[in-house]
Amino acid sequence: FEGANQKVKARIQLLLKKNIPLTVENLRKIDIPIPSASEGQRRLALQHVDDLISMSDGQIWFDEKLETAGQLPPMDPQR
């Protein structure tokens, strides 16, 4: 459950404290996601998307067509 949020980790600790086995069935009953290789890949892909979005925050785009049309500075806020 590495990488799980604190709420999930706390619930898991409670199960362990009460000697409740961490079976797929028990975890599904209380809506704790089952760790899997595909979940790790999904999480990594989402992190990559978040990183890319953060990298592009605050950027401005210059457009040659707007410059040719006489708009100075030729910034395109729609891009």
Side-chain angles (χ1 to χ4, degrees), residues 35 45 65 74:
K65 292 177 186 175

Side-chain angles (χ1 to χ4, degrees), residues 3-64:
N5 67 40
Q6 291 302 318
K7 183 177 178 182
V8 168
K9 287 180 180 180
R11 292 169 74 199
I12 290 170
Q13 288 301 318
L14 184 61
L15 291 173
L16 293 173
K17 185 177 177 180
K18 294 185 178 197
N19 294 321
I20 298 172
L22 298 179
T23 63
V24 171
E25 182 180 344
N26 287 343
L27 295 174
R28 284 192 176 138
K29 284 179 184 178
I30 57 174
D31 293 324
I32 292 180
I34 310 304
S36 67
S38 63
E39 176 63 24
Q41 292 170 345
R42 181 183 148 286
R43 192 176 301 222
L44 182 61
L46 292 175
Q47 178 62 43
H48 182 67
V49 169
D50 285 346
D51 290 344
L52 290 173
I53 290 170
S54 294
M55 287 171 41
S56 65
D57 285 350
Q59 289 186 353
I60 57 172
W61 297 90
F62 294 108
D63 190 312
E64 288 182 37

